[in-house]
Amino acid sequence: MLHLTMLHGIVPDTILPQAPLMFSGPLWSISLEWQFYLIAPLLIGAIGFRNARRMAISAGILLFAIGLQKVTLHHWKGEAPSFLPLRFPLYIVGIMSAALWHDARKARPAVLAAAVVAGSIIASLFSPNILPLLMWFGMYFLAAAHDKLGVPRLADRIISSRVPTFIGQVSYGLYVLHVPTMMLVCYYVVFPMGIQGRFYGAVTITAVTLPITLILAALSFNIIEKPMARWARGYRRSARAPAE
């Protein structure tokens, strides 16, 4: 029932051991995302940087999220950080990054770099692992200052070429499906072959799992994700039509 409602991430291990990881390890983050989506409209409506009042509200929400995270860490125990308060500040950073995007594109590279450094320092106060955030802010800086820095066209061509585009399209399926596929490969291929040593086992697992997962992810994208996205867009338009 918890998985059907996508709320399996809210249960700590002290109540139901490893509930977020029960059917597939990556599904813990799906519950985390769903918890965020339930309150995202309110947050997105409150956060902004167009005036002093909105900036104050945004700063207050971030401080509240950091405080809530600190309190939750002492009471919620689990192998995966699948309860929203544990990762709430990261979502606030994401919304703030989106709210600042147009201003970031117009800012001078030096000003933008200073803002990125300040953001990284603040993020270090609540992030258990600063490296992903540094990667986030670094890519954000490069994307925002892309034109001003004169990033070579070769990099644009590589990123927008067919293979990276395809991997980006099916990335959701790759994330969700790679662990159960890897487990099946281990059970039906690696173990029966009696492969010895971590290196040879890892090479075999990767060589067999990767193409299978790519195929399954492509099928998921074309059979499930794209039709559902089209349905959602059509439903939204039909819901708006009477009001218009």
Side-chain angles (χ1 to χ4, degrees), residues 17-202:
Q18 295 191 336
L21 309 172
M22 185 57 61
F23 293 101
S24 175
L27 291 182
W28 72 266
S29 68
I30 306 302
S31 178
L32 180 65
E33 293 174 34
W34 175 239
Q35 295 167 53
F36 169 70
Y37 294 152
L38 292 175
I39 64 172
L42 296 176
L43 290 175
I44 294 173
I47 291 178
F49 294 88
R50 297 304 175 191
N51 54 57
R53 181 181 178 185
R54 295 287 293 278
M55 291 180 65
I57 293 174
S58 302
I61 292 175
L62 179 58
L63 290 174
F64 170 77
I66 295 173
L68 184 62
Q69 180 193 54
K70 300 298 183 184
V71 173
T72 306
L73 282 171
H74 294 290
H75 300 284
W76 196 97
K77 304 298 181 182
E79 187 173 340
S82 54
F83 188 36
L84 180 60
L86 296 172
R87 290 293 182 265
F88 197 25
L90 297 177
Y91 284 101
I92 306 302
V93 169
I95 297 176
M96 287 181 167
S97 298
L100 281 169
W101 176 246
H102 294 293
D103 296 326
R105 290 294 304 273
K106 298 176 183 177
R108 296 193 303 272
V111 175
L112 182 59
V116 165
V117 171
S120 301
I121 293 173
I122 295 173
S124 66
L125 300 175
F126 60 80
S127 176
N129 186 356
I130 192 62
L131 180 59
L133 278 168
L134 292 177
M135 295 170 61
W136 168 263
F137 283 119
M139 292 304 298
Y140 186 85
F141 171 79
L142 290 175
H146 174 275
D147 298 331
K148 298 182 179 66
L149 293 176
V151 177
R153 292 185 177 181
L154 178 61
D156 291 342
R157 290 180 179 178
I158 292 174
I159 293 174
S160 60
S161 60
R162 184 172 298 178
V163 173
T165 301
F166 167 74
I167 294 176
Q169 288 177 334
V170 303
S171 59
Y172 182 81
L174 282 175
Y175 175 70
V176 172
L177 297 170
H178 78 278
V179 169
T181 304
M182 183 171 59
M183 293 174 67
L184 291 173
V185 168
C186 288
Y187 188 78
Y188 289 105
V189 178
V190 177
F191 293 163
M193 292 175 63
I195 297 175
Q196 301 296 323
R198 290 186 177 183
F199 175 78
Y200 296 107

Side-chain angles (χ1 to χ4, degrees), residues 209-224:
T209 299
L210 184 58
I212 294 175
T213 308
L214 283 170
I215 293 172
L216 294 176
L219 291 173
S220 172
F221 177 72
N222 288 286
I223 296 176
I224 300 174

